[in-house]
Amino acid sequence: YVFLADAILELAGVRFDVDELAFARELLEVVLAQFPDAQRGGFYFTPADHETLISRPKSFGDEALPAGNGVAAVVLQRFGHLLGESRYLEAAEGVLRAAWPALSEYPSGHASLLQALEELLQPPATVILRGPAAIMESWRRELAAVYAPGRIVLAVPGDSAVQQAAVMLPAALADKPALPAGAAYVCRGSHCTAALTSLKALAAELARKPGD
C-alpha cells in the first residue's frame, strides 16, 4: 500500500492527476485502518482482517527493499503536509517513536527511517504550480533540471481542467488559486508562501535557506 502511494506521488510530479491523488489517499486510509499497532506505534506487515498468526510481523530494518514502516513514515509525512492531514503526520511520528531504539542503535540498517526523521526535522519544499497547462509545464521542466532530492513539484491544472475530474481537488491544494499567467506556492511543512508569479521569484524562494 505505501509503496504504491509513494509511486503515485512520484508520478504526480511528472503528470498530475486528481483521481490518482484520491486513489493514493484511499490507500493511506486503508493503511491507517488495517495495519497500525495501536499500542506501540508503527505498522504491522499484515492487516487486521488477516488470518490469525502466532505473531504479526512488524519490521523497521531495511533489507533488499526499504522497510515498509520507513516508506510509510516518509509517505505519510509528505501526504500529510501536501493535504494538510494531521492524522498522517501523527502516524508518521508514531512510526519514528516506535522505531527509535533500533534506529538509534543501528542507524546504518534503517536508511528509510533516517530519511523520514530528516524530513520530520526539516521538511523539504513542496512546490505547487497553478495556471495554464503549457506555462506550468515549462516551469516544472525548469525545476526538474535542478537536482533537489526530497523536493516535490506538482503542476496542478487550472480550475476548469480540475473540474472535469471525477473527484474534487483537496482543499489544501484548492486554496492555492490558479492565475492566468501562472503562480507557484512553496510550502515547507505547514507554512506556504503567497503566490509567486515568476520563475525568478520562485527560484529566489527555493534558494532561501530555512530561517532566512
Side-chain angles (χ1 to χ4, degrees):
Y1 285 84
V2 295
F3 274 69
L4 182 53
D6 185 38
I8 291 171
L9 186 56
E10 290 290 333
L11 179 61
V14 179
R15 183 206 66 199
F16 181 86
D17 185 294
V18 67
D19 296 303
E20 292 174 356
L21 184 66
F23 177 49
R25 197 169 191 173
E26 290 178 13
L27 293 170
L28 295 181
E29 290 297 330
V30 172
V31 171
L32 294 184
Q34 289 287 331
F35 294 87
D37 180 345
Q39 300 298 320
R40 294 175 294 274
F43 297 98
Y44 292 112
F45 189 74
T46 57
D49 59 4
H50 191 276
E51 65 181 279
T52 302
L53 302 174
I54 296 175
S55 176
R56 290 178 74 186
K58 183 177 69 171
S59 175
F60 295 115
D62 297 324
E63 297 183 14
L65 294 174
N69 271 286
V71 176
V74 172
V75 170
L76 284 165
Q77 283 183 153
R78 292 183 174 186
F79 273 102
H81 290 309
L82 179 65
L83 302 175
E85 182 54 79
S86 61
R87 292 181 302 121
Y88 295 175
L89 298 173
E90 291 166 2
E93 187 172 340
V95 172
L96 289 168
R97 289 183 182 277
W100 181 248
L103 176 59
S104 58
E105 189 169 358
Y106 304 107
S108 61
H110 300 82
S112 58
L113 284 164
L114 286 175
Q115 179 186 358
L117 178 60
E118 180 181 25
E119 294 192 8
L120 172 68
L121 299 175
Q122 188 171 317
T126 298
V127 182
I128 309 300
L129 305 176
R130 300 295 320 273
I135 297 175
M136 294 299 90
E137 176 60 16
S138 68
W139 288 25
R140 188 196 67 78
R141 288 181 177 276
E142 287 289 335
L143 294 179
V146 178
Y147 178 66
R151 180 190 296 169
I152 299 170
V153 180
L154 300 181
V156 182
D159 295 330
S160 60
V162 168
Q163 289 171 0
Q164 298 173 10
V167 296
M168 297 294 292
L169 194 67
L173 297 179
D175 69 4
K176 298 170 178 61
L179 299 181
Y185 303 84
V186 179
C187 301
R188 295 180 176 88
S190 58
H191 302 285
C192 299
T193 66
L196 303 169
T197 56
S198 70
L199 265 175
K200 182 178 180 181
L202 175 57
E205 175 60 32
L206 292 174
R208 183 180 65 82
K209 295 181 180 179
D212 288 353

